[in-house]
């Protein structure tokens, strides 16, 4: 961005998820901006970060922490408190840590969600051991104090959805501006078939964690004779989910964008049963003209238009999901209307809005 020195900060680069996709969009919005983070495990995150100027904290020297960032939980607040980034405007991509960085200029926080382990521990720690839960319980009061102080250090708060805006208001008393992130996997690139997967299956794209309710989607398919399901994702719940699944469910742990494009383009519909901060996968499916069967809640309320781009169900219950899938498959959808909805969330719009915010903050900095 001409005339403005911009730096980026992100919690950790150790996984492939929606937050990391947003950081890639921020790098395209501000080419050449350095990216500061606590941990960077190249093999576990998107390969595009190899082209960025990634600058890590001393924690990155410990391989065990790069392998599982949750092991670093007691160390992340001190790590970001000790990190200083000098730029005209510092944009922090945060789900709980990056907003604690010290800055010499204006600080803009793009909040994916206030820290789950502090404000939604029943979700974040569901698969954790009793010892981890007890440790987080002991640390939580001090971390909440740190977290709220870090939030108040920001000059501007942005967020990804109306649901997260309300959580920010409750947690910090801050009014955030909603700037929806763009879908990352869209038409226009190569499509590569996935071996062993036939066209026309239902699709579920999700991290395999208990709170994502993939088990309810798997169970719903058992109530839908003749229909198949492809589950794309990795996570701690993998083995349990595989044990529950019948022969009409196929698990694909990791795919590149070309294969994910093919899965979206050839699917019958996307099924999304988790309570998400932002409904990203419905937008990706919509960009390929595919309808969505989604839980009525969270970020899906911002990205699914009932009757236009998909149908809702009210609880992550197998019977409700199966009934909603039947409704979706019996509906004649307008593919052009679905793709037009997705286009309104394109990366060009996201980049334009974030650049405008940074320009405003740079002007205030003088």
């Amino acid at each position: 961005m001409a005339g403005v020195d911009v730096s980026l900060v992100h919690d950790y680069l150790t996984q492939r998820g929606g937050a990391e996709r947003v950081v890639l969009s921020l790098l395209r919005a501000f080419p050449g901006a350095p990216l500061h983070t606590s941990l960077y495990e190249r093999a576990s995150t998107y390969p595009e970060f190899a082209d960025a100027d990634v600058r890590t904290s001393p924690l990155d020297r410990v391989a065990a922490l790069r392998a599982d960032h949750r092991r670093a939980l007691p160390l992340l607040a001190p790590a970001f408190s000790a990190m200083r980034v000098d730029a005209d405007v510092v944009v922090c991509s945060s789900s709980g840590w990056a907003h604690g960085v010290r800055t010499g200029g204006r600080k803009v926080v793009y909040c994916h969600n206030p820290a789950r382990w502090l404000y939604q521990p029943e979700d974040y720690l569901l698969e954790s051991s009793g010892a981890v839960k007890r440790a987080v319980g002991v640390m939580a009061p001090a971390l909440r104090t740190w977290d709220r102080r870090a939030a108040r250090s920001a000059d501007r708060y942005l967020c990804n959805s109306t649901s997260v805006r309300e959580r920010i208001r409750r947690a910090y008393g801050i009014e955030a501006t909603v700037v929806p992130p763009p879908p990352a996997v869209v038409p226009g690139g190569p499509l590569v078939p996935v071996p062993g997967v036939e066209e026309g299956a239902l699709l579920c794209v999700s991290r395999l964690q208990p709170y994502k309710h993939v088990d309810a989607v798997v169970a719903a398919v058992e109530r839908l004779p003749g229909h198949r399901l492809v589950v794309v994702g990795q996570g701690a719940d993998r083995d349990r989910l595989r044990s529950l699944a019948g022969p009409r469910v196929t698990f694909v742990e990791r795919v590149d964008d070309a294969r994910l494009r093919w899965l979206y383009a050839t699917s019958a519909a996307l099924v999304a049963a988790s309570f998400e901060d932002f409904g990203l996968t419905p937008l990706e499916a919509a960009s390929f003209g595919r309808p969505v069967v989604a839980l009525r809640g969270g970020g899906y309320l911002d990205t699914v238009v009932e009757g236009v781009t998909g149908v809702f169900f009210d609880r992550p219950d197998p019977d409700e999901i199966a009934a909603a899938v039947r409704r979706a498959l019996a509906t004649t959808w307008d593919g052009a209307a679905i793709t037009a909805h997705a286009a309104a969330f394109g990366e060009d719009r996201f980049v334009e809005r974030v650049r405008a915010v940074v320009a405003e903050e740079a002007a205030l900095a003088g």
Side-chain angles (χ1 to χ4, degrees):
M1 191 170 178
V4 180
D5 181 21
V6 179
S7 287
L8 306 177
V9 187
H10 183 60
D11 296 333
Y12 30 69
L13 296 172
T14 60
Q15 56 191 1
R16 298 182 179 211
E20 289 72 34
R21 292 281 198 184
V22 170
V23 178
L24 290 173
S25 291
L26 289 172
L27 285 167
R28 287 188 280 272
F30 306 106
L35 172 57
H36 301 260
T37 191
S38 59
L39 302 163
Y40 177 28
E41 184 58 55
R42 290 163 177 76
S44 300
T45 191
Y46 295 110
E48 292 89 338
F49 286 117
D51 298 325
D53 177 11
V54 178
R55 305 178 187 183
T56 58
S57 77
L59 296 181
D60 193 61
R61 299 169 190 160
V62 183
L65 302 184
R66 297 198 308 272
D68 184 355
H69 63 260
R70 296 188 189 210
R71 295 171 181 158
L73 194 147
L75 307 172
L76 289 170
F80 279 99
S81 293
M83 189 182 294
R84 181 178 176 87
V85 178
D86 290 312
D88 296 335
V89 181
V90 177
V91 181
C92 303
S93 162
S94 179
S95 298
W97 304 111
H99 63 315
V101 69
R102 295 181 296 121
T103 64
R106 306 287 287 184
K107 182 192 290 189
V108 175
V109 174
Y110 190 94
C111 182
H112 305 281
N113 196 54
R116 283 189 182 275
W117 54 93
L118 296 180
Y119 306 106
Q120 296 170 277
E122 67 282 356
D123 286 348
Y124 186 81
L125 301 173
L126 188 62
E127 72 276 15
S128 299
S129 67
V132 169
K133 292 176 182 177
R134 287 191 294 273
V136 171
V138 170
M139 292 186 295
L143 283 176
R144 270 191 289 269
T145 299
W146 177 90
D147 180 61
R148 288 168 177 154
R149 185 171 61 246
R152 289 194 298 271
S153 73
D155 297 291
R156 188 84 166 265
Y157 246 77
L158 310 178
C159 65
N160 51 12
S161 70
T162 55
S163 175
V164 170
R165 180 176 63 190
E166 179 56 32
R167 290 182 207 153
I168 291 169
R169 183 182 294 129
R170 291 198 304 266
Y172 306 136
I174 292 172
E175 291 298 320
T177 301
V178 177
V179 180
V185 180
V186 295
L191 283 75
V192 177
V194 176
V197 175
E198 298 179 10
E199 297 183 12
L202 298 167
L203 182 64
C204 178
V205 181
S206 174
R207 288 180 183 156
L208 305 185
Q209 305 290 356
Y211 70 91
K212 295 290 189 178
H213 306 306
V214 178
D215 54 352
V217 179
V218 169
V221 172
E222 295 303 312
R223 292 155 170 79
L224 297 166
H227 293 287
R228 294 168 289 108
L229 172 68
V230 178
V231 177
V232 178
Q234 295 178 302
D237 211 24
R238 179 194 62 183
D239 292 341
R240 185 181 73 91
L241 290 169
R242 286 178 178 271
S243 72
L244 296 174
R248 290 183 287 112
V249 179
T250 301
F251 288 86
V252 181
E253 288 200 12
R254 178 179 288 183
V255 293
D256 58 19
D257 286 355
R259 288 172 175 80
L260 188 53
R261 286 189 197 96
W262 182 85
L263 288 168
Y264 276 127
T266 61
S267 67
L270 177 77
V271 185
S274 59
F275 192 94
E276 293 292 337
D277 306 325
F278 178 70
L280 180 65
T281 55
L283 285 180
E284 293 182 340
S287 70
F288 290 89
R290 312 315 302 156
V292 179
V293 180
L295 178 67
R296 191 190 305 275
Y300 296 146
L301 297 176
D302 290 343
T303 60
V304 179
V305 181
E306 192 162 23
V308 177
T309 69
V311 300
F312 284 118
F313 52 90
D314 294 317
R315 295 182 301 127
D317 172 82
D319 290 327
E320 287 200 24
I321 295 171
V325 169
R326 292 189 191 98
R327 293 199 307 274
L329 297 181
T331 300
T332 300
W333 297 98
D334 182 344
I338 294 176
T339 55
H341 171 72
F345 292 82
E347 186 174 69
D348 55 347
R349 178 62 175 147
F350 173 80
V351 166
E352 175 188 347
R353 295 185 68 183
V354 173
R355 282 179 173 170
V357 168
V358 167
E360 290 169 9
E361 292 301 318
L364 289 172

